[in-house]
Structure formats: C-alpha cells, structure tokens
Amino acid sequence: MSITAPKPAWNGLPIRVGVIGGSGLYKLDGIDIVDIVNPETPWGYPSSPISIVRTPSGTLVAFIARHGLTHSISPTHVPSTANIAALKHLGVRAILAFSAVGSLREEIAPKDFVIPSQIIDRTKGIRRASFFGEGEEQNVIAHASFGDPYDTRLSPIVEEIVREALKAHAPDVNVHANKTVICMEGPAFSTRAESVMYRQLGGDIINMSALPEAKLAREAEMSYVLIATATDYDAWRETSDVVDVTEVLQSLNANVQASNVVTKALVDKISALVSDDDSEYFSKMNGSMKNNIMTKPEHLPTHVKDRLRYLLPWYPN
C-alpha cells in the first residue's frame, strides 16, 4: 500500500475529536453523517468504517465502533493499532472512548458513569500493545510515558460536562471520577475469586477493552479519555448472582441512550479546546514521543520509517 502524510479529513475541514463506541454504541444518533471512510493503515483496516459526523454547530467528529457494526470482534481481537492510526491520520487530536464496565464497588451502580484516572493491565500479552517493538516495527524501540494513562488536563473537563449533561437526561445516574479500571482478558467474565482479587488490587471497575487502546493513543501523541458506563456488579458480591449477558444487555440499552446525550454535549467543547495549535491541550501531546524513541532512524529501513510517519508526521527520513 502507498503511505501518505496526514491531511484534512473532509472537504478541507479538520476533524479534531474521535469517538470510539463500545458495547452497544455502534453509531451516534441524532448527528448528521456527512461521509463514511474506511482507510487502510499500515496496520490494517479499523474495526469498522469511520463515520464522519457533523454536529449542529458544524463540528466534525470521527466515529469508530470498537467491536464492529454488528459486534463481531471480540475484545482480544479488536484491531486497536489500526483504529488509533486511522484516527490520527484523519487529523484527530483527542479521543473520547466509551466502554461498558463491571463495577467492583458498591457505590458504582449499574448505569453509572465513571471517568477513570488509572488502569491496571491484566491482559495476557495476546494483543499487540505498542506501535514499537512488534511486527514491522520490531527493531524500533520506544518507551512512552504512561504514569497517568488518561489525559489529566481533559479528564476533569470531560467529567464536568458529563455531569451537567446527565443532570437533565438521567438525574438518578451518578458520575464517578478518579477511579481505577482493571483491563482483563476475555471472553469469559471473572470468577468470584478473581473479582475479589481485583478489588484487593485497588480496582474500581473492570472491562476487557480499555487496553491497549490507551497506550497506543499515547504513542500516537493523542489525548485520550475513557468514559465508562457500568452494566453490572461483576462477581464479587456473594449475595448476588454472577454477571451474565442478559443483565449486561438490560443496562446497555439505558447506557447507550445516555452515552449519545453525553457525546453531543462533549464533542463541540472538546474540539474547541484541542483545535488551537498553541493550546495546552494539544501542544503538550504534540511531539511528546520525539525523545522517547531510542532507535536512531538511520538504522531503520525506508519502509519502516514510512509507516511511522503515517502515525508521527515529524518522524525523520
């Protein structure tokens, strides 16, 4: 495939916000679709064609369904490298990622929203977790800073907007912040013993798809905020039945409606924050990997450097 530099995504107009929809959220309702694109990245095709949608105020947003439009991709096999690369190539600077989660805390009830600040990786090394050191890039070594996995500047703003949006739409839904998400390997849900262990590790919510998305976004120099919606209490409550798909689906319907409301409230404001090249919300991420790539470009073949420039346009020849 030919590899070209990033360019404006639609009709010469920039797209600065990308939305990744999780379980149940396969499209954005009530927002006009102006185009559908399906770019082939150096890491393959994204998990769904990308809908370019336009809000009533004119803001363009790129939307991907993480598990495919028919929920045909398991968490383990989501092509996260292609998803993140495609969004970056379209000009996206900030990703709002929605994900269904199980609750590990009594106070986080099904249908509640959570904006986590930390993550614990309990996946099993099956998924490609980096743009570096694997595949065609196996000889390119980079170490991204990941101490704060979610954008510490945008997360509080997202939390505030989510709270305000839900006050009118779902006043009984609580919003929780500064929580820790456990990302486990699927496809089965946790055993009771595992669920108890995850609580002891400090986990507040649990899901199967929060990684490697957040790590890849950091390597791609993109802001990333996870917006989690609780569907169940996992398996740690001895007085409750263990989680099953029927329970999850019942909560998902309500969560998807609320997520659409939240998305509409978020995208215009977040896009405005990251559109200015001089804003702290963009400038602190842009170029943040320049000192983190350890392998010198003169030691790499041309086709590998071309692939990295698809993701990081500043990468040298």
Side-chain angles (χ1 to χ4, degrees), residues 253-287:
N253 290 331
N255 289 354
V256 167
Q257 294 178 28
S259 294
N260 270 295
V261 171
V262 163
T263 302
K264 292 175 187 176
L266 281 169
V267 292
D268 285 328
K269 295 177 181 177
I270 299 302
S271 181
L273 290 176
V274 300
S275 290
D276 184 352
D277 289 358
D278 295 325
S279 77
E280 63 173 322
Y281 303 101
F282 171 65
S283 61
K284 289 187 178 180
M285 290 300 296
N286 189 40

Side-chain angles (χ1 to χ4, degrees), residues 200-230:
Q200 293 171 343
L201 286 175
D204 300 298
I205 53 177
I206 183 168
N207 88 337
M208 302 176 190
S209 55
L211 289 171
E213 225 172 61
K215 288 184 178 180
L216 295 169
R218 182 59 54 84
E219 290 181 348
E221 302 181 339
M222 302 167 79
S223 296
Y224 182 98
V225 178
L226 182 65
I227 303 165
T229 55

Side-chain angles (χ1 to χ4, degrees), residues 1 37 45 74 89 107 138 156 162 169-170 200 203 212 226 296:
M1 62 168 291
V37 298
Y45 287 98
S74 73
H89 196 66
E107 66 271 19
Q138 62 181 332
V162 171
H169 174 77
Q200 293 171 343
L226 182 65
K296 301 297 183 184

